[in-house]
Each structure stands twice: as C-alpha cells, then as structure tokens.
Amino acid sequence: NAGVTQTPKFQVLKTGQSMTLQCAQDMNHEYMSWYRQDPGMGLRLIHYSVGAGITDQGEVPNGYNVSRSTTEDFPLRLLSAAPSQTSVYFCASSPEGGGSPLHFGNGTRLTVT
Amino acid sequence: GEDVEQSLFLSVREGDSSVINCTYTDSSSTYLYWYKQEPGAGLQLLTYIFSNMDMKQDQRLTVLLNKKDKHLSLRIADTQTGDSAIYFCAERDYGQNFVFGPGTRLSVLP
C-alpha cells in the first residue's frame, strides 16, 4: 500500500538550474496538491489539481509549474531555482469532496545554493 | 483571506495532559483537522471533526470545537515521549483547499 510517493528525498541545486519533483499516488484520488514548508510558516499551498487535465494556483505559485496528465501523477517543476525556494516540499492527495483528509508524501528537502 | 493560528511551542511533563490550541478565521470551514509531524517525515492525520460537532474523542485524543469563537483544541491525555512532534491544525472549506496553521512543537519532558 504505497499511498503518496515523492522522489527524490533530497536535492541540491545551483541557482538557475531547473528540476522536477515527482509525486505519484495509487489511491485514485482526484485532488492533488503541492505545499512548501518553511520554519514558523506552516504549509503554504503552491498548486493544486482537482482532476486530470485541471490545475490551479495556490498561495505561492511563482517560480513553479505543474501538470496533471494522469490521475496518478502530479509533478512540480522549478523553472529556474532561486535560494528562496530552499524548503521542504510535500505532495498530498485526497478524494474529492466531503471531509476526506489529505494524505501526505514524506517530502523532498530541496536546497538551492 | 483565511488564516489559522497556533502557538509555536508547548512543553509538558511525561504523564501530564497536553492541550494544543488553534484559532481560525474562515466561518465557512466545514472540517477541521489535526495532523502530527515527526522529524523528517510527512504529516500524519490524527483526527478530524465536522463543524457541526462540539467534541470528538479517540482514545487519548479529545478534540473540542467552539464554533462561535472559531477555536479548536487538541487534548492528549497521559502524554508520552513518543508524542513529541509538531502538531498542525488545518481547515477545509467548501472550495476543497486546506489551510494549515504554523504548527505547535510539543516537547515532552521526562
């Protein structure tokens, strides 16, 4: 029972490099989202998707792109990494509607130098 | 916009009860959640409560909701060292998105 799987667990980038954080879930959840976690600031929503082919911006979308070509996968792309994007990134999914809670991956710790 | 607030730190002695408090601003919140995060891990759901409930109990956990004051609390009875973690309060509105508080770091002292 894999749940939400994020790769890689750790990544170091130089300023200006690009990369993709991978997220996959095997629970057939319609809703998927990306958060970043910074000390004392909780989790801030970057982008989210309510189904394949549908994405929307969250609170802090600048510098990030997403796509949702399948129900299972929701990759997050950093176009040109900046030190301000040093953070821990979490992918989460949920069945659509009702009180269904979010299921989280274990996170990707990204450092941009 | 929506906002969720929590105190950042709480220390308790092993065996005592812990009470972690949370306030939120969105009156349309339908569900409120408590998550636990251990070091280096993702967030794990502890419990959640629908906004038409006042209280929910699950073993050592008791959630109290005061909808009039928009105040949510999580009580952990007989706190153990394994309860040391960061606890996040979160709300979900009709728009499906979740809003998280900054997290309360609970330290359990022997």
Side-chain angles (χ1 to χ4, degrees):
Chain A
N1 189 8
V4 179
T5 303
Q6 288 185 240
T7 56
K9 287 181 69 72
F10 301 95
Q11 183 71 50
V12 179
L13 291 178
K14 294 188 186 306
T15 298
Q17 287 184 316
S18 62
M19 79 159 295
T20 299
L21 308 186
Q22 301 292 343
C23 175
Q25 51 93 7
D26 61 358
M27 298 172 283
N28 203 32
H29 287 170
E30 290 296 322
Y31 180 89
M32 295 187 74
S33 53
W34 277 101
Y35 290 86
R36 59 177 290 172
Q37 182 180 22
D38 302 292
M41 300 187 73
L43 279 79
R44 292 183 290 168
L45 182 65
I46 304 171
H47 286 284
Y48 66 97
S49 167
V50 297
I54 306 169
T55 63
D56 208 344
Q57 297 181 349
E59 182 186 354
V60 289
N62 292 342
Y64 307 96
N65 274 358
V66 291
S67 59
R68 185 93 181 271
S69 56
T70 66
T71 299
E72 294 77 21
D73 299 299
F74 191 45
L76 178 73
R77 296 184 188 84
L78 280 71
L79 308 172
S80 177
S84 60
Q85 293 179 304
T86 293
S87 187
V88 181
Y89 292 85
F90 288 101
C91 179
S93 71
S94 169
E96 189 175 359
S100 300
L102 278 177
H103 298 255
F104 281 85
N106 284 329
T108 295
R109 185 175 295 274
L110 176 69
T111 302
V112 183
T113 61
Chain B
E2 301 155 15
D3 194 22
V4 177
E5 295 186 353
Q6 302 174 240
S7 53
L8 297 183
F9 302 98
L10 176 66
S11 290
V12 299
R13 293 267 176 213
E14 192 173 13
D16 288 349
S17 291
S18 308
V19 179
I20 303 171
N21 295 302
C22 168
T23 58
Y24 60 97
T25 59
D26 187 0
S27 58
S28 70
S29 294
T30 54
Y31 293 90
L32 296 132
Y33 305 81
W34 284 104
Y35 284 85
K36 176 183 180 183
Q37 185 183 33
E38 296 181 351
L43 277 71
Q44 170 193 1
L45 178 71
L46 284 178
T47 187
Y48 63 99
I49 188 168
F50 186 46
S51 57
N52 68 352
M53 298 169 65
D54 297 325
M55 186 182 87
K56 181 177 181 181
Q57 190 152 2
D58 183 1
Q59 300 181 334
R60 292 191 297 123
L61 305 178
T62 303
V63 177
L64 294 177
L65 174 60
N66 181 327
K67 196 174 179 184
K68 173 176 168 288
D69 294 338
K70 297 179 188 170
H71 182 266
L72 183 74
S73 68
L74 173 70
R75 178 177 180 270
I76 306 173
D78 186 25
T79 311
Q80 302 297 308
T81 54
D83 295 322
S84 293
I86 302 176
Y87 291 81
F88 289 92
C89 170
E91 62 171 357
R92 189 178 200 185
D93 61 21
Y94 290 105
Q96 288 206 80
N97 286 328
F98 292 72
V99 178
F100 286 83
T104 298
R105 184 179 296 274
L106 174 64
S107 298
V108 181
L109 308 174

